[in-house]
Amino acid sequence: MKRRHFIKNTSLSGIGVAAVSPFINYLNLSEMGNFDPVCIATWSFPNASRKAGELLTAGATALDAVEQGVMVEEADIKNTTVGRGGAPDREGNVTLDACIMDPSGKAGAVVYFKHHTHAVSVARKVMEDTPHVILAGEGADQFARQQGFKKEDLLTENSRDAFKEWLKTKEYKPIINIENHDTIGMLCLDSQGDIAGACTSSGLSYKMNGRVGDSPIIGAGLFLDNEVGGAVATGMGEAILKSVGSFLIVELMRQGKSPQEACEEAILRIIKQNSNYKEFQAAFIAINKKGDVGSSCIQKGFSYMEYRGGKNVNFPSKFYH
């Protein structure tokens, strides 16, 4: 999308919002009765969105659907950015970040998590079985073992071989839209009109030891308000963290913007904050309480999955640059 058109469209949407009361009553949407279930997820992960979408169609809750959906990618060792088989850090350790939110606004997350494939499931246990929101590192691993999760070696033969190859040059330069920095983020709207979300990642390939991105941070990688909608992010976590983009999108939707308008505004904020925006990718997807969907990114090439009415489709996102 050309810059002048992007800005023009965003400006026009802002004019429309001015006439909308900031006190929109989203609660009345909960009284609409049956909703048409929808699942959206970042990138082209059709197996994950199909799993979640089929669960929703069968009557599952949004929370169960997002957990089961992203678990598909956590277990896929061919996916080098999520779960087992993810690319390691510069010390050769695979470290995972994940979070989950339920319709009530409760949240759980794990960061710098080393020894268990399904980080999202441990994050859910943090949410449901502890008084905390985030557990990190050794404490997160200890908690997982206490909850019965089996300790695993997340470094597969292929990821170990790739790491040895990387050590020859130790070049650290994330490539736009190449899967060394992306994430699976997912949002589900169930038949009761409830929204839940999850986000899970092994983070930047060959990152510094201890680095944590946006994926497990509530408000950055994921945020939702069941009265309004939700948003998830993917791409360069450092830029997304600084913008608190997912929270921003939900607040913009609360003020009356569509998911598409809100995502575009969040991308503009990142561009304003980062003069080097042409060198990285950042992207958002969002859904509101009515099931309307939006997506925007900096660079061409990002896409998202949408499962609705039995159809599982990958859509290219609108882009800025």
Side-chain angles (χ1 to χ4, degrees):
M1 179 182 287
K2 297 294 185 183
R3 183 176 186 272
R4 60 180 180 274
H5 294 311
F6 189 99
I7 293 175
K8 180 180 178 182
N9 291 341
T10 305
S11 300
L12 288 173
S13 68
I15 293 172
V17 170
V20 178
S21 166
F23 302 105
I24 294 171
N25 181 13
Y26 286 92
L27 285 172
N28 60 11
L29 291 172
S30 300
E31 301 171 2
M32 289 172 56
N34 292 331
F35 287 71
D36 293 326
V38 183
C39 168
I40 58 173
T42 55
W43 302 98
S44 181
F45 293 131
N47 294 333
S49 56
R50 181 180 298 108
K51 176 70 173 181
E54 289 176 349
L55 284 169
L56 291 171
T57 302
T61 65
L63 182 62
D64 286 342
V66 292
E67 179 188 11
Q68 292 291 321
V70 300
M71 283 174 66
V72 171
E73 292 306 316
E74 288 181 329
D76 184 357
I77 61 173
K78 294 180 180 179
N79 185 337
T80 61
T81 64
V82 179
R84 186 166 178 265
D89 62 18
R90 299 179 193 185
E91 309 300 316
N93 299 308
V94 179
T95 62
L96 308 180
D97 300 325
C99 70
I100 193 166
M101 286 192 77
D102 76 3
S104 74
K106 291 170 60 179
V110 291
V111 304
Y112 197 63
F113 185 65
K114 289 184 177 180
H115 299 301
H116 309 275
T117 296
H118 294 301
V120 71
S121 297
V122 181
R124 181 171 179 176
K125 287 290 186 180
V126 172
M127 177 178 73
E128 295 179 337
D129 296 341
T130 81
H132 308 305
V133 173
I134 300 175
L135 291 181
E138 184 96 18
D141 286 321
Q142 180 183 17
F143 173 72
R145 291 193 294 273
Q146 291 170 347
Q147 293 292 317
F149 289 86
K150 180 183 177 183
K151 185 175 181 179
E152 302 169 82
D153 182 0
L154 301 181
L155 196 66
T156 62
E157 184 177 349
N158 286 339
S159 57
R160 184 178 290 107
D161 289 344
F163 176 64
K164 290 178 181 177
E165 190 65 27
W166 177 81
L167 286 173
K168 295 177 182 178
T169 61
K170 294 186 179 181
E171 183 180 9
Y172 180 72
K173 187 177 181 181
I175 304 169
I176 293 169
N177 293 327
I178 300 299
E179 291 192 348
N180 64 347
H181 67 267
D182 70 7
T183 300
I184 180 166
M186 181 179 287
L187 296 161
C188 286
L189 173 71
D190 65 28
S191 59
Q192 300 304 306
D194 288 326
I195 299 172
C199 195
T200 181
S201 177
S202 57
L204 285 165
S205 302
Y206 316 122
K207 60 197 174 186
M208 291 180 65
N209 183 25
R211 182 263 186 185
V212 174
D214 68 294
S215 299
I217 306 303
I218 303 302
L222 166 69
F223 189 73
L224 65 88
D225 184 321
N226 200 41
E227 295 178 9
V228 182
V232 290
T234 184
M236 187 58 70
E238 283 71 13
I240 295 164
L241 274 167
K242 291 184 293 184
S243 72
V244 200
S246 291
F247 176 79
L248 170 64
I249 289 169
V250 173
E251 289 307 298
L252 289 170
M253 290 193 294
R254 190 191 307 279
Q255 295 169 18
K257 285 187 180 288
S258 70
Q260 184 60 42
E261 291 166 340
C263 287
E264 290 180 6
E265 176 61 29
I267 288 297
L268 282 175
R269 298 283 182 96
I270 290 177
I271 289 169
K272 277 186 177 181
Q273 291 176 346
N274 298 272
S275 59
N276 66 332
Y277 70 89
K278 294 182 181 179
E279 298 174 10
F280 63 85
Q281 177 69 291
F284 296 98
I285 60 173
I287 188 169
N288 67 13
K289 194 72 171 176
K290 295 183 291 185
D292 300 328
V293 168
S295 174
S296 188
C297 59
I298 298 176
Q299 317 287 349
K300 182 179 181 180
F302 170 66
S303 64
Y304 66 96
M305 298 300 305
E306 179 178 320
Y307 188 101
R308 188 192 299 260
K311 295 181 179 179
N312 194 35
V313 182
N314 185 242
F315 291 101
S317 174
K318 290 189 176 181
F319 59 93
Y320 174 86
H321 177 61

